[in-house]
Amino acid sequence: MSTEDRAKATGKNIEGKAQEAWGNITGDPQDKAEGKAKQAESEVRHGIEDVKDNVKKNLD
């Protein structure tokens, strides 16, 4: 598990939530969509780290 990779993914999630919220406030659909995309990217990154952790755990 890379703590640094997880931290980056968490940061991307927070950034996405903020951008989506800003899009909701301003009514900008592009900001909303980009924010949701960043959150989805974060979920994928967390999933990759989970797979890495499981593989490492099974190999040990």
Side-chain angles (χ1 to χ4, degrees):
M1 170 178 78
S2 172
T3 304
E4 182 180 339
D5 289 340
R6 286 201 185 267
K8 286 180 183 179
T10 300
K12 183 66 79 172
N13 188 40
I14 292 168
E15 181 183 340
K17 286 183 181 204
Q19 188 171 7
E20 182 183 7
W22 182 252
N24 285 331
I25 291 168
T26 62
D28 185 347
Q30 184 174 354
D31 271 336
K32 285 191 241 182
E34 289 177 6
K36 287 182 181 187
K38 287 178 183 178
Q39 291 174 64
E41 178 185 345
S42 170
E43 288 179 31
V44 169
R45 287 184 181 188
H46 277 293
I48 290 169
E49 289 304 312
D50 290 343
V51 169
K52 286 183 192 177
D53 287 346
N54 287 332
V55 168
K56 186 173 191 267
K57 181 180 175 183
N58 288 332
L59 291 176
D60 290 341

